[in-house]
Amino acid sequence: MYRNWVILAIIVLIYLPVSIDATVLHVAIPTLSAALSLSSTEMLWVIDIYSLIMAGLILPMGALGDRIGFKRLMLIGAGIFGVASLMAAFANTAFMLIAARAFLGVGAAMILPATLAGVRNTFLDEKQRNYALGVWGTVGGGGAAFGPLLGGFILEHFTWGTVFLINVPIIILVLVLIPWLVPKQEVQTKQPLNLMQALILVTAILMLIYSVKTSIHAFNVWMILIFIVGLGLLVGFIRHQLKTTQPMIDFSLFKNPVISTSIVMAMVAMIALVGFELLLSQELQFVYGYSPLEAGLFILPFMIAICIGGPFTSILMNHYGLRPVATIGMLMCAVSFLGLAMTNFDTHSIQAWVWMVLMGISVEIALLSSTAAIMSSVSPQKATAAGAIEGMAYELGAGLGIAIFGLLLAIFYTQSIVLPVDLPQNLVAQVSSSIGEAIRIVQPLEPALKQEVKQAAFEAFIHAHSKVLGISGVMFLILSIFVWRTLPDKKQLAG
């Protein structure tokens, strides 16, 4: 039994940089924009590409884990992740950084399903597995939540490249420990990989998100064509998966209401976690003038709450079962988002922290209860594939969180900004596109006009942020009803 917990320690150690890298750049937006002269679109891709690549590749990497064993998959993924971290640390252009972040996503797509399969194969007792998943969930959610604080601390004392260099010693340690302490597993040598289908899925997702993002500020016929091609690829991918005898996605798993509902929960919870952090980090720095470290410290209660939520959820799951715990988690998310929508983060900080604590606990409840349900609903032989589907939901949620929250914020910001009449017409479009562009563009203007434009941008951003949070609250309220109606009772869950 002691060895099982040693293996868990290795698993969470390699999972930690994967989860941190999903959010560590959230507070670095102003710094990176200045250092690499990034446009707002390039900045979103720097953040977004990591999760989107993971989402598209994580399923075939799960199949690869079944074929070669989670130990080998973890070793290969760790090696790729380490090399990509070095590439990102020394990138000096937007293209190089986006490419390095994409490469990081490839390594992470191998690591994540390997860690879940490692937990499933190491802890065969359900209650012990739930506690182990509680630790795993704390590291995953806590790492993603603490990413902004770590990023803020690094930017306060070091250059931005250090954000990626901190991964390297962790990777080296893991590469030493895994061959020594982690046992070999039985493998399925005939497991299909479906790499071409994975590339089609990634291409479809990227084309759809690119066309939607770009159309906000540069709508033209090319964006329509890219959207149509991306949609066609996605439809073709789904039709192929339904017809083929060896699909990349095992749709038979989705017939289980526990798995299908849990995937929805995981995706929506990650949309909330990542999207909220990104928007709050921008508001604190752009509107209220916080430094990256100060912004990270402001979000600290949210981070602590996520860490507490993991073990807390494990206890609740073992005593009350999935349905009531998951439903309460969704309701708590709804209440906290609606409360945050009506809170001024600068003048009512204590109130904001209370709502963030509630949301942190509830998001972790949603994430961990969905993970525990999926892992308990499949056999050990299906663990890697199920873990890959769960991981895809996580990462697709993270990518969509950035895309959806960013898209809604941009729409509401553009609609609500009221600019002074004496602002030169050639600057109106840029100032109206985003708060980052507005602050950069107005620097050469005379002081009175510059302050007036900045104030208009601040008010528009706050209004847009409040609307996005309100919509999120309503979404979670609807989801809580859906979860209660679709999940079975505790006694119906498969062990």
Side-chain angles (χ1 to χ4, degrees):
M1 183 54 62
Y2 171 77
R3 188 178 187 183
N4 288 354
W5 295 105
V6 172
I7 293 172
L8 178 64
I10 297 172
I11 286 172
V12 298
L13 183 63
I14 185 57
Y15 184 38
L16 183 61
V18 171
S19 60
I20 288 176
D21 270 34
T23 59
V24 72
L25 293 183
H26 286 186
V27 296
I29 292 176
T31 304
L32 276 177
S33 296
L36 299 180
S37 300
L38 301 179
S39 67
S40 58
T41 301
E42 288 172 337
M43 189 66 249
L44 282 178
W45 279 113
V46 166
I47 298 172
D48 220 1
I49 193 70
Y50 175 76
S51 296
L52 293 175
I53 292 293
M54 281 185 69
L57 292 181
I58 205 165
L59 289 173
M61 294 310 171
L64 181 61
D66 288 335
R67 192 166 181 171
I68 67 175
F70 75 81
K71 178 180 178 178
R72 290 181 181 175
L73 185 66
M74 202 180 298
L75 283 169
I76 297 170
I80 293 174
F81 199 87
V83 172
S85 296
L86 290 172
M87 291 171 54
F90 297 104
N92 54 21
T93 65
F95 176 79
M96 288 179 64
L97 183 55
I98 292 171
R101 289 278 289 171
F103 199 34
L104 275 168
V106 175
M110 296 181 176
I111 293 171
L112 197 151
T115 60
L116 274 173
V119 171
R120 182 65 178 86
N121 284 272
T122 303
F123 296 90
L124 301 180
D125 179 78
E126 183 176 356
K127 288 194 174 182
Q128 288 185 353
R129 184 168 63 245
N130 283 345
Y131 285 121
L133 286 170
V135 176
W136 181 89
T138 298
V139 171
F146 273 88
L149 179 59
L150 180 62
F153 175 81
I154 290 173
L155 292 173
E156 193 87 2
H157 299 91
F158 307 98
T159 61
W160 64 265
T162 313
V163 168
F164 300 103
L165 285 178
I166 61 173
N167 294 335
V168 177
I170 297 176
I171 295 298
I172 293 173
L173 178 60
V174 167
L175 289 174
V176 172
L177 293 177
I178 291 176
W180 180 32
L181 294 172
V182 178
K184 292 183 178 180
Q185 306 83 43
E186 294 183 6
V187 297
Q188 303 175 37
T189 55
K190 295 183 179 181
Q191 179 71 29
L193 298 183
N194 294 302
L195 289 179
M196 181 57 67
Q197 287 298 303
L199 292 176
I200 292 173
L201 177 60
V202 170
T203 302
I205 293 172
L206 294 180
M207 292 181 75
L208 288 171
I209 292 180
Y210 173 78
S211 61
V212 173
K213 282 182 179 179
T214 307
S215 295
I216 298 175
H217 307 300
F219 182 77
N220 54 54
V221 67
W222 288 109
M223 293 305 104
I224 297 175
L225 289 175
I226 291 174
F227 181 86
I228 292 173
V229 173
L231 184 61
L233 287 174
L234 184 60
V235 171
F237 169 83
I238 294 173
R239 292 182 64 182
H240 179 270
Q241 294 301 296
L242 292 172
K243 291 179 179 179
T244 183
T245 56
Q246 295 182 325
M248 188 180 90
I249 300 175
D250 185 357
F251 279 96
S252 65
L253 292 174
F254 290 88
K255 295 178 181 179
N256 185 325
V258 175
I259 293 178
S260 57
T261 303
S262 297
I263 287 172
V264 173
M265 286 168 52
M267 187 179 300
V268 174
M270 284 303 295
I271 289 174
L273 190 156
V274 176
F276 170 72
E277 275 192 351
L278 180 63
L279 266 61
L280 181 57
S281 297
Q282 290 185 69
E283 182 167 336
L284 293 174
Q285 292 182 79
F286 282 133
V287 179
Y288 303 124
Y290 284 43
S291 70
L293 180 57
E294 290 170 339
L297 287 171
F298 189 93
I299 309 173
L300 184 59
F302 180 58
M303 308 168 190
I304 295 174
I306 287 180
C307 292
I308 294 172
F312 180 65
T313 304
S314 299
I315 296 172
L316 291 177
M317 284 279 295
N318 286 332
H319 281 82
Y320 301 106
L322 174 65
R323 184 166 70 169
V325 173
T327 304
I328 290 173
M330 295 292 100
L331 280 173
M332 288 168 60
C333 276
V335 172
S336 58
F337 266 115
L338 292 172
L340 286 166
M342 298 180 287
T343 300
N344 184 303
F345 294 100
D346 191 43
T347 59
H348 298 89
S349 55
I350 294 178
Q351 180 178 326
W353 290 332
V354 170
W355 288 123
M356 282 193 286
V357 167
L358 181 64
M359 186 173 74
I361 293 174
S362 56
V363 164
E364 186 63 14
I365 287 174
L367 290 175
L368 184 56
S369 58
S370 65
T371 301
I374 290 176
M375 290 296 101
S376 297
S377 300
V378 296
S379 64
Q381 292 74 27
K382 288 271 190 178
T384 307
I389 293 176
E390 169 80 349
M392 181 181 180
Y394 269 54
E395 300 311 321
L396 189 57
L400 290 177
I402 295 168
I404 293 172
F405 273 57
L407 175 64
L408 291 175
L409 184 73
I411 292 173
F412 293 137
Y413 172 86
T414 301
Q415 289 178 347
S416 60
I417 191 167
V418 180
L419 296 171
V421 293
D422 50 344
L423 179 69
Q425 285 299 309
N426 62 317
L427 300 181
V428 170
Q430 290 173 288
V431 171
S432 300
S433 64
S434 73
I435 191 171
E437 290 286 309
I439 292 174
R440 183 175 63 85
I441 291 298
V442 301
Q443 292 306 316
L445 300 180
E446 59 96 11
L449 180 59
K450 178 170 70 174
Q451 184 57 37
E452 195 175 351
V453 173
K454 287 174 68 175
Q455 187 60 37
F458 294 162
E459 292 175 359
F461 189 91
I462 294 172
H463 175 76
H465 194 178
S466 179
K467 274 195 167 185
V468 173
L469 294 178
I471 291 172
S472 301
V474 174
M475 177 183 68
F476 272 102
L477 185 61
I478 296 171
L479 184 60
S480 65
I481 300 171
F482 170 76
V483 167
W484 178 259
R485 290 179 62 88
T486 56
L487 286 182
D489 294 329
K490 181 178 180 180
K491 61 183 179 181
Q492 295 174 286
L493 290 173

